[in-house]
Amino acid sequence: MKILVPVKRVVDYNVKVRVKSDGTGVDIANVKMSMNPFDEIAVEEAVRLKEAGVATEVVAVSCGVLACQETLRTAMAIGADRGILVETDAELQPLAVAKLLKALCDKEQPQVVICGKQAIDDDANQTGQMLSALMGWPQATFASKVAVSAGKATVTREIDGGLETLEIALPAVVTTDLRLNEPRYATLPNIMKAKKKPLDTVKPADLGVDVTPRLTTLKVVEPPKRSAGVMVTDVGQLVDKLKNEAKVL
C-alpha cells in the first residue's frame, strides 16, 4: 500500500509574523521557515503505518518554490521513502494545490492520502476536502486515531460534541488533527540518509494543471490589540460591565 503525504513550507510556528507596511501580505524575508505542524503529524502517521507493516511506501509531496526541497528532506528524515516537488513561483491557493495533488494521485495511484487538516499560514482547511471531491474518494477529516486493515480505514475524528468514528473504503483522504500523534525528532543519521533518497521535480505544466490564482487578496492587517483587563469588586459590577460595556448579556 502506498501513502501520499502533502507537506507545506510555512513560517515557523514560533515566529511572530509581521504584516508588510503596504498591507499586501506577510513579511517572510529572513524569517525561519519549517514544515506545517499538521503535515508533520501526517508524515509521522504514514511512517507509523509503514513500520506496522500496513504500508509499503510513503511518498512526500510539496508544491511551491525550490526551497520546498528542504521541507521534503525533513519529511524523508522522519521516514518518507521519496519526495516529489511541484516547483512553481506562483501563489498557490487550495484549489490549485488540490488539482496538483489529483494529478499526482492519478500518476502515483496511492491507496491513502494523509494530509494536515490545515496550514498555519492561511488556515484554509480546504485542500484535503477539495482533493477528496476531485478524486471521488471518501474522506475523514480531523483524525485523532487511524487504523487501516482489509482495504478499509477506521478513523476516529474530533467533532464539537466529542468523538465520531467512521469506517471508509480505500482509496481515501484523511486529514490529521493535533492529537493524532507526536512527531518524532529527525536524528542526524536519518537526516544524512534523507539526502540520498530520491527527490523528483516537476512543473505544474507537466501535470497539465493551471495554477493561476482565482482569489485576490485586497488587504492584510494585523488584528486589533486587546485592551488591558479590569478588576471588579463584586459580581454585580461584573454583570454590569458585561451587560453595558461588553454587551454580551
Side-chain angles (χ1 to χ4, degrees), residues 149-172:
S149 64
K152 293 184 178 180
T154 303
V155 179
T156 302
R157 59 188 301 269
E158 300 189 0
I159 58 175
D160 291 339
L163 298 175
E164 178 183 54
T165 301
L166 302 176
E167 185 179 79
I168 55 177
L170 303 182

Side-chain angles (χ1 to χ4, degrees), residues 5-6 36 38-39 42 114-119 125 127-128 174-177:
V5 186
N36 179 46
F38 290 104
D39 297 342
I114 305 179
C115 54
K117 70 172 185 178
Q118 64 195 74
N125 183 19
T127 303
V174 176
T175 71
T176 62
D177 213 334

Side-chain angles (χ1 to χ4, degrees), residues 125-202:
N125 183 19
Q126 295 175 340
T127 303
Q129 292 89 327
M130 287 178 170
L131 174 62
S132 170
L134 291 171
M135 294 298 298
W137 290 356
Q139 61 174 301
T141 57
F142 314 140
S144 60
K145 185 178 180 181
V146 177
V148 179
S149 64
K152 293 184 178 180
T154 303
V155 179
T156 302
R157 59 188 301 269
E158 300 189 0
I159 58 175
D160 291 339
L163 298 175
E164 178 183 54
T165 301
L166 302 176
E167 185 179 79
I168 55 177
L170 303 182
V173 177
V174 176
T175 71
T176 62
D177 213 334
L178 281 174
R179 276 165 284 279
L180 178 58
N181 60 52
E182 184 174 345
R184 71 194 70 184
Y185 288 103
T187 61
L188 182 58
N190 286 336
I191 291 173
M192 299 306 293
K193 289 178 184 177
K195 293 181 179 180
K196 297 181 180 179
K197 290 183 179 180
L199 196 162
D200 299 325
T201 301
V202 297

Side-chain angles (χ1 to χ4, degrees), residues 48-151:
R48 290 188 184 188
L49 288 172
K50 183 187 173 187
E51 290 173 343
V54 176
T56 55
E57 185 181 25
V58 177
V59 183
V61 178
S62 190
C63 306
V65 297
L66 189 61
C68 291
Q69 288 183 343
E70 300 172 12
T71 309
L72 288 170
R73 293 295 181 193
T74 301
M76 289 187 280
I78 293 173
D81 297 292
R82 58 189 175 93
I84 301 174
L85 171 63
V86 183
E87 186 185 355
T88 176
D89 293 328
E91 176 194 353
L92 291 176
Q93 295 174 350
L95 180 58
V97 176
K99 288 180 177 179
L100 291 170
L101 293 176
K102 178 186 183 301
L104 289 173
C105 285
D106 291 338
K107 179 181 178 182
E108 294 287 335
Q109 294 294 307
Q111 282 67 56
V112 184
V113 175
I114 305 179
C115 54
K117 70 172 185 178
Q118 64 195 74
I120 62 172
D121 52 1
D122 58 17
D123 275 334
N125 183 19
Q126 295 175 340
T127 303
Q129 292 89 327
M130 287 178 170
L131 174 62
S132 170
L134 291 171
M135 294 298 298
W137 290 356
Q139 61 174 301
T141 57
F142 314 140
S144 60
K145 185 178 180 181
V146 177
V148 179
S149 64

